[in-house]
Amino acid sequence: MSLSNAAFLRARPGKRDKVSEALRLLMPLTREEGGCLEYHIHQSTSDPDNFFIYENWSSQAAFDFHMQTPYVREFLSRQNELVEGNIQILPYERY
């Protein structure tokens, strides 16, 4: 069974461009992962400090692998610098 996630984050004041750049660097690397079925980054048009990531994985193991990759770990190590609050990742089941 595949796994769908929605991740929500808000850039700290003045960090929007750095968040956008960091997320854009993740996109091609993530899409090359064997278990990645879809990976899309969205930025709100009404509040550009808000970002949303929609991702589909072939399995929970594929997502777990993704979260341990060096590039994701690097982004997460900068979370306190770039992101207001916590990144919220919500899993969904597709019907």
Side-chain angles (χ1 to χ4, degrees), residues 40-93:
H40 305 284
I41 298 168
H42 306 269
Q43 185 174 12
S44 173
T45 55
S46 62
D47 182 356
D49 286 341
N50 276 310
F51 294 84
F52 158 66
I53 301 168
Y54 175 73
E55 52 190 28
N56 282 309
W57 298 95
S58 60
S59 65
Q60 180 66 50
F63 174 68
D64 292 343
F65 173 84
H66 166 70
M67 294 302 289
Q68 296 303 313
T69 60
Y71 41 92
V72 171
R73 292 178 65 79
E74 166 66 22
F75 177 76
L76 293 176
S77 75
R78 299 179 63 201
Q79 179 176 337
N80 289 338
E81 168 199 348
L82 300 175
V83 177
E84 197 170 271
N86 292 318
I87 299 171
Q88 184 179 23
I89 301 175
L90 301 174
Y92 290 87
E93 182 177 347

Side-chain angles (χ1 to χ4, degrees), residues 2-16:
S2 65
L3 171 69
S4 299
N5 289 327
F8 302 91
L9 58 118
R10 180 173 181 77
R12 286 191 178 276
K15 299 292 184 174
R16 176 191 317 149

